Structures are given as C-alpha cells and as structure tokens.
C-alpha cells in the first residue's frame, strides 16, 4: 500500500526559508497535498500538486516534485512565527474517491 | 459557509460507555472519511464512505462502526470505549468528481478514562 514519510521536526529562524520534505511510495499517477495544522485546530489545505507537474508556487509557498525519486518538498519563504505548526504531506491515487494517506507530520518551530 | 461540521468538540467517556461522533458537510461531496490523530502517528484512516450507501474499512477500524446516514452525514460509533481510543478524531469530505481537495472538520477530542 501507499506510504508517506516525513521528518518529524524542523526549526528555523524568523525570516529564513523553511523546507519541509516528504517521500511517497505510490507509483501510480497521484495527487500530493500539503496541509497545515495549528495547535488545537483542524487541518487546513495549503496547496496540492498533480504528479505530472514539477513545481507549483503560491505566494510564499513553493512546492517541488521530483517524480523519479518520489520526493515532494514545501518551501516557505520568509518564515514567520505564525507559520509555526505541524505540516502534513498526503497523497491519493488518481481514482476519485480513494482516501488520502498522510505522513506523520513535520512540526515546524520558528524562532524569533 | 460551514464546510465540515463535527459534534461534539470535546468528550470524556468512561471505559465501556458508548457514543456517536457526528459529522456533516454542506458541500454536496460524495466521499467522507474518519481519521484519528495520535501523537507521533499522524492521521490514520478508520473508515470511509466513497459514496452514499457504501462504507469501507481503513487502516484502524477495530472498535468502531460507521453509518452514512445520507449524502451529508457520516457518523462514527464507539460501542464500548477503551482508553486506547483516546484520540482526536477528524472527519473529512471530498467531492470525488473533478474536485480533488479534501476538507476537514475541526476535530473531536475524546478522552476515555
């Protein structure tokens, strides 16, 4: 079955860039997602990318996909204290109703 | 614009008690999901409903049952709660046709003592 791996912790200084990494195992065409979870809250969808794309940019967020290595990254430019949260990578095959499979999440701590 | 609504937000149960977690979405989505979140474990799928009238087991279904009451509502039932079911439960929905994003509720924080 599908598996999604993430490192558990990342600490950066305010104003620096953050890069959160994820690897996945599904070999079929797939959608890949980044969700953000602030303390005590639900999951907020940040962005998503289809596996035929290499990159997607949305304001401070840049998603890079290396399909050959099954590696996904989320870069947050000019990281702010409000970016402190848990970031989840998730993937789902192209079939429309298949559930999302999540990584364990990366806790990002931003130091002022 | 409510999205996905879960009730209750918090609950404390005694071991052996039963309860039902409610989830409703107002986006006319076909698919609905129940996940649990435990520290260091990420989100694990309990059950899902790909469309109205169907339900399927996920990764961790033991101790739970579900009902897809109609297209809007998908409930999760704990028949005899155990301390191992202490967790945060999230409901999510997804259109399944064209729309690939999945939307989450705010979660139910359940403690079983």
């Amino acid at each position: 079955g599908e598996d999604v791996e993430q490192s558990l912790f990342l600490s950066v200084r305010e104003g620096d860039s953050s890069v959160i990494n994820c690897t996945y195992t599904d070999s079929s065409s797939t959608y890949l997602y980044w969700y953000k979870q602030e303390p005590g809250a639900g999951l907020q969808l940040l962005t998503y990318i289809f596996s035929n794309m290499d990159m997607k940019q949305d304001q401070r967020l840049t998603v890079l996909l290396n399909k050959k290595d099954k590696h996904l990254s989320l870069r947050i430019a000019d990281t702010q204290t409000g970016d402190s949260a848990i970031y989840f990578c998730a993937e789902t095959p192209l079939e429309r109703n298949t559930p999302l499979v999540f990584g364990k999440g990366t806790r990002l701590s931003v130091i002022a | 614009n409510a999205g996905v609504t879960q009730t209750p937000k918090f609950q404390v149960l005694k071991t052996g008690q039963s309860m039902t977690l409610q989830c409703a979405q107002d986006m006319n989505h076909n698919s609905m999901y129940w996940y649990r979140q435990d520290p260091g474990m990420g989100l694990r799928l309990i059950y899902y409903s790909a469309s109205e009238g169907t339900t399927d087991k996920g990764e961790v279904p033991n101790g739970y049952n579900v009902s897809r009451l109609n297209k809007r509502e998908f409930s999760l039932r704990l028949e005899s709660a155990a301390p191992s079911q202490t967790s945060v439960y999230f409901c999510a929905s997804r259109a399944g046709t064209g729309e690939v994003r999945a939307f989450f509720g705010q979660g139910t924080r359940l403690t079983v003592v």
Side-chain angles (χ1 to χ4, degrees):
Chain A
E2 302 92 357
D3 194 18
V4 178
E5 298 284 341
Q6 299 178 243
S7 54
L8 295 183
F9 301 99
L10 177 66
S11 182
V12 299
R13 294 201 175 275
E14 190 175 19
D16 288 350
S17 292
S18 308
V19 179
I20 303 171
N21 295 303
C22 169
T23 58
Y24 62 98
T25 59
D26 194 341
S27 60
S28 63
S29 296
T30 188
Y31 289 97
L32 297 139
Y33 306 80
W34 285 105
Y35 282 85
K36 176 184 180 183
Q37 184 183 35
E38 296 182 4
L43 275 73
Q44 172 195 355
L45 178 64
L46 290 177
T47 187
Y48 65 95
I49 191 169
F50 185 50
S51 58
N52 67 353
M53 300 169 66
D54 298 323
M55 186 182 87
K56 183 176 182 180
Q57 188 157 2
D58 184 3
Q59 299 183 345
R60 292 191 298 123
L61 304 179
T62 302
V63 177
L64 294 177
L65 175 61
N66 181 328
K67 191 176 179 181
K68 174 177 168 289
D69 294 337
K70 296 191 178 65
H71 182 267
L72 182 75
S73 67
L74 174 69
R75 178 177 180 269
I76 305 172
D78 187 25
T79 311
Q80 301 298 309
T81 54
D83 295 322
S84 293
I86 301 175
Y87 290 80
F88 290 96
C89 174
E91 66 94 18
T92 188
L94 189 56
E95 290 80 16
R96 290 167 178 169
N97 296 320
T98 309
L100 277 65
V101 176
F102 285 84
K104 289 182 168 52
T106 299
R107 184 179 296 274
L108 174 65
S109 298
V110 181
I111 305 164
Chain B
N1 202 9
V4 180
T5 303
Q6 291 183 236
T7 55
K9 288 186 171 49
F10 300 94
Q11 184 72 48
V12 178
L13 288 179
K14 293 183 179 178
T15 297
Q17 286 185 318
S18 62
M19 79 161 294
T20 300
L21 281 64
Q22 307 285 354
C23 175
Q25 51 89 11
D26 62 1
M27 296 173 280
N28 200 36
H29 285 173
N30 290 317
S31 302
M32 298 184 73
Y33 313 94
W34 277 106
Y35 291 88
R36 62 177 286 174
Q37 182 181 22
D38 302 293
M41 300 295 290
L43 275 80
R44 293 182 292 170
L45 183 69
I46 306 171
Y47 270 94
Y48 69 102
S49 171
S51 59
E52 188 179 359
T54 68
T55 60
D56 284 286
K57 294 179 181 180
E59 181 185 354
V60 289
N62 291 344
Y64 305 95
N65 285 300
V66 290
S67 295
R68 183 74 182 266
L69 303 169
N70 46 56
K71 193 171 186 179
R72 288 188 64 247
E73 298 172 286
F74 188 39
S75 63
L76 179 71
R77 182 158 178 86
L78 287 70
E79 290 290 352
S80 178
S84 61
Q85 294 177 305
T86 293
S87 189
V88 182
Y89 292 85
F90 287 101
C91 178
S93 72
R94 186 167 162 223
T97 53
E99 171 61 79
V100 301
R101 296 174 295 172
F103 297 91
F104 281 76
Q106 288 302 296
T108 295
R109 283 151 183 80
L110 175 67
T111 302
V112 183
V113 297

